Amino acid sequence: MAQIRLQILDDNGTELATKSYNLGDSLDDLSRIEQQIETLRPEILIDITSELLSAEQSKHEKKHF
């Protein structure tokens, strides 16, 4: 089964997260791989956004009223 792995790093090169996505079977040419990645793109972008927002939120202390 084909798989892609996405590593998210901050500006200093510190790893924030690593995500893996299964592309499925019978991906025997570049066109099919590209189609599957395009199908997964919305999920991948949501994951990246979530990880980046979480990392930024963890840098800031919560203000207590």
Side-chain angles (χ1 to χ4, degrees):
M1 179 177 292
Q3 183 180 47
I4 59 169
R5 187 170 302 162
L6 177 67
Q7 185 179 29
I8 303 170
L9 306 173
D10 67 6
D11 292 337
N12 298 323
T14 305
E15 183 178 313
L16 301 176
T18 300
K19 300 278 187 175
S20 296
Y21 302 91
N22 291 324
L23 298 179
D25 295 326
S26 70
L27 298 174
D28 52 359
D29 61 33
L30 188 56
S31 177
R32 287 186 179 165
I33 293 171
E34 184 178 19
Q35 288 173 349
Q36 189 62 24
I37 290 173
E38 286 299 319
T39 302
L40 286 172
R41 187 197 319 219
E43 179 184 347
I44 293 169
L45 291 176
I46 289 170
D47 290 345
I48 292 171
T49 302
S50 175
E51 291 296 334
L52 292 174
L53 288 174
S54 294
E56 284 300 313
Q57 285 177 339
S58 69
K59 289 181 184 178
H60 299 288
E61 292 181 0
K62 292 185 178 181
K63 295 181 181 180
H64 298 282
F65 295 102

